[in-house]
Amino acid sequence: MSAHTILPPGNSGTLLRLPSLKAFLFSRSLAALASQMMAVAVGWQIYALTHSIRALGFVGLAQFAPMLFLVFIAGHFADRHDRRKIVMVCQALECTALVIVALGSAEGWIRPWMLYALVAIFGALRTFEMPCQQTFVAAIAPPALLPRATALSSSLFTAASVIGPSLGGVLYGLGPTACYAICAVSFGLACAGTVTMKLSWPTRVRNPVSLASVFGGVTYLRRRPDTLGAISLDLFAVLLGGATAMLPVYANDILRTGPLGLGLLRAAPAIGALLTSTAVARWPLRGRCGPLMFLSVAIFGVATIVFGLSTTVWISVLALMVLGAADVISVMVRGALVQLGTPDEMRGRVSAVNTLFIGSSNQLGELESGLLGSAIGPEAAVVIGGIGTILVAGIWVRLFPGLWRLDRLEDIEAH
């Protein structure tokens, strides 16, 4: 599930007087926009080259495999080194990789293995980039403005998630070269924005590197069953219920909408998330947050089933919007448990573990959907995944009763 939060009431004018915050928002939004456009282009081009549902599933595996091997190193790295420089290097390399793929598409020598290499490179780079980026707002905004700054950043990320897939579909209609080239330019500009940022970090004590310190995030989560339950619920729910790997198949073979329709399908969950974020900003969650999270996961599963059975574009888009709307509630609770319940010196490593769980659910979910879809058909695979998500929600209520009893997010404290 993608990360969406809400924008609380208040004027953002004061926030935008912070030059480094503006640079961060510019950089993160452009990078998110480019990532969404690239996902549409890669999915459509892989399917156009192979006409294989299984090949779409391998896209998720290619992106997840580097994350699996690097995530704990990345979290430890983020807690010990200059996070801004790490992000700069990652964005520069992302830009370079997209330039090469754009040239390959223009010259006609692009092959499926090259696209798998592209997403593997992005998987590795994002593993280092994401834990660092998640800490930037706290290093820029003063404590009194931190909640609004975080919400503004996440709202812009959500907007990029809405615009990016549709824009990617339009650009791919002009050809993959144009889409990849614009993605490369976007990452280049994002890197330039990161260069201009000035961050203020507390003095960090660099303890000797050891297995205990590298895997400190895992050890910490074992002592916090509610947090572990929230992120593992997301892992298994989306692992089973993720239908994104099937979107090129639905757009091309079932709904017959073309690349523009694929962009619309990819944007639909973010549209639902944005609408729900707006509603929750007006009517905040006051209590019973644990039961609401489990309910939202069950609704996620039901929406997945409806999408899997649909052969009508507007029903499919509506189902994906409901899926994205349900995602917001789950992500809000999980995000509060991870951020509010984690001490600052552990946030890089805990964020890395959270990144691994998110990546596992999204990328391995695509692999699971691709392999199952090639065996029993895309519709049956998506429906079975939705049923599995509902079952997981029920099982997790029994396994993590403390998470079910969670009331107000404001009461979460770091330990």
Side-chain angles (χ1 to χ4, degrees):
M1 296 187 188
S2 52
H4 306 288
T5 55
I6 60 173
L7 182 62
N11 184 1
S12 62
T14 303
L15 293 174
L16 297 181
R17 295 192 187 102
L18 302 173
S20 291
L21 182 61
K22 288 194 290 186
F24 168 70
L25 295 175
F26 172 81
S27 173
R28 186 169 188 253
S29 299
L30 270 182
L33 190 70
S35 296
Q36 294 290 341
M37 292 190 294
M38 187 196 77
V40 171
V42 168
W44 192 267
Q45 194 171 24
I46 282 282
Y47 194 61
L49 291 171
T50 65
H51 297 288
S52 168
I53 298 176
R54 184 179 291 117
L56 292 172
F58 288 146
V59 172
L61 178 62
Q63 190 169 354
F64 172 74
M67 180 184 299
L68 178 63
F69 290 105
L70 296 173
V71 66
F72 296 109
I73 298 172
H76 192 264
F77 209 72
D79 281 338
R80 292 175 59 87
H81 298 283
D82 189 327
R83 293 165 181 167
R84 184 178 68 94
K85 290 182 180 179
I86 295 172
V87 173
M88 285 166 46
V89 171
C90 289
Q91 291 174 337
L93 292 175
E94 287 162 346
C95 173
T96 303
L98 281 164
V99 168
I100 295 172
V101 174
L103 290 173
S105 297
E107 298 296 328
W109 46 260
I110 202 73
R111 297 292 182 270
W113 71 264
M114 298 176 187
L115 296 175
Y116 290 132
L118 173 69
V119 296
I121 290 170
F122 266 75
L125 294 174
R126 293 293 288 169
T127 302
F128 283 89
E129 188 177 348
M130 288 177 64
C132 296
Q133 277 190 327
Q134 290 172 9
T135 66
F136 280 176
V137 175
I140 297 172
L145 297 177
L146 184 59
R148 288 169 53 202
T150 302
L152 178 59
S153 170
S154 297
S155 295
L156 290 174
F157 181 88
T158 302
S161 299
V162 173
I163 298 169
S166 298
L167 184 58
V170 172
L171 292 174
Y172 195 89
L174 302 176
T177 301
C179 190
Y180 291 129
I182 291 176
C183 289
V185 171
S186 298
F187 274 111
L189 292 174
C191 182
T194 303
V195 169
T196 65
M197 291 166 47
K198 294 181 180 179
L199 306 176
S200 175
W201 301 108
T203 302
R204 291 199 291 263
V205 178
R206 295 191 176 185
N207 296 318
V209 178
S210 64
L211 285 177
S213 64
V214 170
F215 292 94
V218 176
T219 303
Y220 174 81
L221 285 173
R222 289 178 63 185
R223 300 196 305 266
R224 298 301 301 270
D226 291 353
T227 305
L228 178 61
I231 63 176
S232 60
L233 174 63
D234 181 272
L235 165 65
F236 288 103
V238 180
L239 178 64
L240 295 171
T244 54
M246 297 293 100
L247 293 185
V249 181
Y250 272 81
N252 188 72
D253 299 339
I254 298 173
L255 303 175
R256 301 190 182 279
T257 60
L260 184 59
L262 174 59
L264 178 60
L265 292 175
R266 279 197 171 272
I271 294 172
L274 189 60
L275 292 174
T276 302
S277 295
T278 304
V280 176
R282 176 65 179 84
W283 299 285
L285 301 179
R286 299 297 185 186
R288 303 282 293 166
C289 291
L292 282 174
M293 183 187 69
F294 284 108
L295 177 61
S296 72
V297 173
I299 292 173
F300 184 94
V302 172
T304 300
I305 295 171
V306 172
F307 172 78
L309 296 174
S310 171
T311 57
T312 305
V313 173
W314 71 266
I315 295 178
S316 299
V317 170
L318 183 60
L320 290 173
M321 289 175 63
V322 172
L323 182 150
D327 186 15
V328 168
I329 306 300
S330 173
V331 168
M332 280 180 57
V333 177
R334 186 190 72 216
L337 285 164
V338 170
Q339 296 301 321
L340 298 178
T342 305
D344 180 71
E345 66 272 11
M346 289 294 302
R347 281 193 181 128
R349 281 164 286 179
V350 172
S351 294
V353 177
N354 190 39
T355 298
L356 174 64
F357 275 66
I358 294 172
S360 299
S361 62
N362 290 331
Q363 276 77 59
L364 288 186
E366 291 183 10
L367 174 64
E368 179 268 337
S369 296
L371 295 178
L372 189 60
S374 66
I376 63 175
E379 298 96 330
V382 173
V383 170
I384 290 174
I387 294 171
T389 297
I390 298 171
L391 293 176
V392 164
I395 293 170
W396 254 239
V397 171
R398 299 293 301 273
L399 291 178
F400 299 94
L403 187 57
W404 171 263
R405 292 191 296 268
L406 178 66
D407 190 28
R408 299 182 345 130
L409 299 181
E410 294 84 356
D411 296 335
I412 299 172
E413 297 180 355
H415 291 85

